[in-house]
Amino acid sequence: MGEHAKLTLEGKDYEFPVFIGSEGEKAIDISSLRAKTGYVTLDPAYVNTGATTSAITYLDGEQGILRYRGIPIEQLAEHSTFVETSYLLIHGHLPNKEELQQFSGLLTRHSMIHEDMKHFFDGYPQSAHPMAILSSMVCSLSAYYPESLNVYENMDIQSTRLLSKLRTIAAFSFKKSIGQPIMYPQDRLSYCENFLQMMFAVPSRDFEFDPDIVRALNILLILHADHEQNCSTSTVRLVGSSQTNLYAAMSSGILALWGPLHGGANQAVIEMLEEIQRSGMKCSEFVEKVKDKDSKIKLMGFGHRVYKTYDPRAKILKEMTDLILSKKGKSDPLLDLAKELEEAALTDPYFIERNLYPNVDFYSGILYKEMGIPINMFTVMFAIGRLPGWIAQWKEMMDDPNSKIGRPRQIYTGATEREYVAMDKR
Ligand code: CMC
């Protein structure tokens, strides 16, 4: 018999099995708690709750370890492409040559969006945030692929279709926002080249790729590709658990990602840095402001629910940003400011005591900026990167014969029963 946890409640002893993951992570399986005791657990924001077992991503926040399907993120960033990493996440193993060719072929085949959908872009005001457009367009895909309403039909085709179309939708929304003609995807180009071409090429001019930028984009997307049960992924799982279609579930993930505490932080970091620059404030002064809880200001791009050390993704991105800038023989005052701010925070007792370090969003925006991606598209870039992770997590849940609809409990703290009193009698 395996290890058990003992719980004493109202003088009675109960036992619950202990579950140990493949990396030694320990959990108490309380799935029978309510049936046995009448109690539920109370864990706001799920700080201590494992909502699922998963074989996709391993994250050790104390040691700064992140692995997809067992492979360290550093190795994937150095050797893999976003397409290969997407296959790894979704299918559980690195593809062989034929598998990769077939997967890439599907991505190429499904890269267009229905011509009628192009009219949707005209309905948005120019000021529309691209995340609003992206989430609506993704959900609208379910109208064009009604077979997706049967969630178990052609899951692989549905998800590969979305993986390919997301970057097309993202690039089209950018072109629309700047009033330029839409550029269609080209079959001869790789996933990342195609995205850059659709974003930055114009019909009348030749478009040349900077191989360093193509590589940087691959790395950025790989680093964002999955992060186990974060806010948007948990949203995808919860929404998907009702067996709604893939596009609806992914659209909900995009919306959860939008917030500044999650994927929206990359945009917020650049806005924060530009504000510091504009105001002429010293980094130490800004750090003091952040420490004052009444100011309601946070050091964006710092802190993480799980990482209590330097986010390994931030480390790679910081080096990557330095490399890209030095290759171009350029400097970026915003990068210098970010480094100064990091130094000021990391030596301050407030940040040391709370284990607050730079997260993935602290340096990613500077790199996106260097690629010419506008600030309001940063979170869209995060969504393109995160999509294979959402798909892998959704598929893992859908393939699990024991998965159930997600439905947390609550502890009610409102009024106890009282009589309805009509308006004129009050
Ligand atoms: N600036 C100032 N103080 C902070 C920050 C920050 N960025 N992050 C956490 N703290 C403080 C927080 O006020 C609290 O202090 P106290 O113990 O005195 O009340 C303590 O550190 C613990 O923080 P918490 O808010 O309880 O931590 P959490 O796990 O609930 O929140 C977080 C995690 C990422 C939402 C938070 O650190 C934050 O708001 N960071 C800024 C936004 C950001 O960069 N988000 C991107 C996260 S990484 C990308 C992704 O995966 O989404």
Side-chain angles (χ1 to χ4, degrees):
M1 195 159 126
E3 187 96 15
H4 275 71
K6 265 198 189 142
L7 176 69
T8 305
L9 269 176
E10 298 169 2
K12 263 182 96 179
D13 288 340
Y14 301 91
E15 285 203 335
F16 296 94
V18 163
F19 188 91
I20 313 241
S22 53
E23 288 285 351
E25 284 176 301
K26 296 176 217 142
I28 301 164
D29 177 353
I30 50 108
S31 49
S32 60
L33 178 71
R34 190 165 180 278
K36 282 182 179 167
T37 67
Y39 281 68
V40 297
T41 54
L42 184 61
D43 185 22
Y46 312 121
V47 178
N48 305 287
T49 296
T52 185
T53 58
S54 177
I56 300 170
T57 289
Y58 174 64
L59 201 176
D60 180 331
E62 268 73 36
Q63 296 190 63
I65 294 172
L66 178 60
R67 299 182 199 135
Y68 299 159
R69 302 284 188 184
I71 304 177
I73 191 74
E74 294 79 4
Q75 291 182 24
L76 290 167
E78 192 173 347
H79 304 295
S80 189
T81 61
F82 178 59
V83 169
E84 187 189 47
T85 297
S86 300
Y87 186 100
L88 168 73
L89 283 166
I90 296 168
H91 297 285
H93 61 92
L94 282 171
N96 62 29
K97 212 171 160 194
E98 288 77 44
E99 287 167 330
L100 187 60
Q101 263 170 5
Q102 202 197 0
F103 188 58
S104 301
L106 281 175
L107 290 172
T108 303
R109 174 134 40 98
H110 293 292
S111 59
M112 302 275 201
I113 57 170
H114 195 290
E115 280 294 295
D116 288 353
M117 280 189 81
K118 268 179 26 192
H119 302 304
F120 292 8
F121 292 97
D122 297 332
Y124 288 97
Q126 199 143 17
S127 59
H129 196 288
M131 285 296 274
I133 302 178
L134 195 73
S135 57
S136 316
M137 289 288 184
V138 167
C139 198
S140 301
L141 284 172
S142 57
Y144 289 85
Y145 302 101
E147 70 273 21
S148 67
L149 302 187
N150 179 353
V151 274
Y152 289 106
E153 207 164 285
N154 294 330
M155 278 164 88
D156 283 346
I157 297 289
Q158 297 292 352
S159 51
T160 315
R161 180 180 275 149
L162 180 58
L163 210 49
S164 187
K165 291 186 193 315
L166 193 71
R167 88 202 133 146
T168 311
I169 295 171
F172 280 18
S173 70
F174 171 62
K175 284 294 196 191
K176 167 74 192 145
S177 74
I178 56 168
Q180 280 188 5
I182 274 165
M183 297 296 291
Y184 284 96
Q186 292 179 16
D187 286 4
R188 66 184 172 83
L189 298 178
S190 71
Y191 189 95
C192 287
E193 286 172 344
N194 234 328
F195 176 70
L196 292 169
Q197 179 270 139
M198 286 190 278
M199 286 284 288
F200 301 120
V202 280
S204 49
R205 278 175 238 147
D206 287 339
F207 180 71
E208 274 187 29
F209 292 104
D210 176 342
D212 289 332
I213 295 293
V214 176
R215 187 68 209 137
L217 180 56
N218 266 291
I219 292 173
L220 272 160
L221 297 180
I222 289 170
L223 296 181
H224 286 88
D226 195 45
H227 214 232
E228 50 119 305
Q229 310 311 316
N230 54 82
C231 176
S232 56
T233 304
S234 300
T235 303
V236 165
R237 277 189 179 259
L238 189 60
V239 172
S241 76
S242 73
Q243 298 192 356
T244 188
N245 67 80
L246 168 84
Y247 302 109
M250 298 304 147
S251 176
S252 71
I254 293 171
L255 290 168
L257 187 74
W258 193 359
L261 298 189
H262 194 7
N266 51 17
Q267 175 173 345
V269 167
I270 297 294
E271 286 165 354
M272 170 188 78
L273 292 173
E274 287 180 346
E275 183 52 36
I276 297 173
Q277 211 174 35
R278 229 184 340 260
S279 68
M281 196 189 292
K282 289 201 185 93
C283 288
S284 52
E285 281 174 65
F286 186 74
V287 165
E288 286 309 313
K289 255 190 164 183
V290 162
K291 286 156 57 179
D292 171 13
K293 296 271 186 277
D294 292 336
S295 76
K296 302 260 187 284
I297 296 174
K298 277 188 167 177
L299 180 49
M300 299 310 285
F302 253 72
H304 200 276
R305 170 63 58 80
V306 187
Y307 290 121
K308 298 303 160 207
T309 183
Y310 214 103
D311 182 334
R313 302 167 300 173
K315 204 177 283 174
I316 298 170
L317 285 178
K318 187 178 178 186
E319 286 166 14
M320 187 78 207
T321 312
D322 273 333
L323 187 77
I324 292 278
L325 285 169
S326 74
K327 275 196 163 187
K328 288 187 170 185
K330 273 172 71 178
S331 64
D332 181 346
L334 231 45
L335 177 62
D336 299 338
L337 181 61
K339 285 182 180 171
E340 206 185 310
L341 195 54
E342 177 190 331
E343 174 73 20
L346 291 183
T347 49
D348 190 289
Y350 174 98
F351 288 85
I352 295 170
E353 278 158 24
R354 290 169 179 76
N355 294 316
L356 301 172
Y357 291 86
N359 60 50
V360 68
D361 291 316
F362 197 66
Y363 287 104
S364 64
I366 297 172
L367 203 44
Y368 287 136
K369 227 174 105 276
E370 199 47 47
M371 291 173 165
I373 312 253
I375 293 180
N376 69 356
M377 284 285 288
F378 288 2
T379 313
V380 169
M381 301 305 296
F382 196 149
I384 296 173
R386 184 54 54 86
L387 185 62
W390 289 334
I391 291 171
Q393 301 270 350
W394 172 81
K395 198 166 168 290
E396 184 177 67
M397 178 184 69
M398 300 305 284
D399 286 345
D400 178 357
N402 298 318
S403 80
K404 289 180 171 188
I405 187 165
R407 206 303 185 184
R409 294 263 175 181
Q410 65 163 19
I411 302 298
Y412 177 68
T413 57
T416 51
E417 186 174 352
R418 51 185 170 160
E419 292 295 315
Y420 171 78
V421 182
M423 191 84 81
D424 57 355
K425 305 249 168 57
R426 273 180 238 158

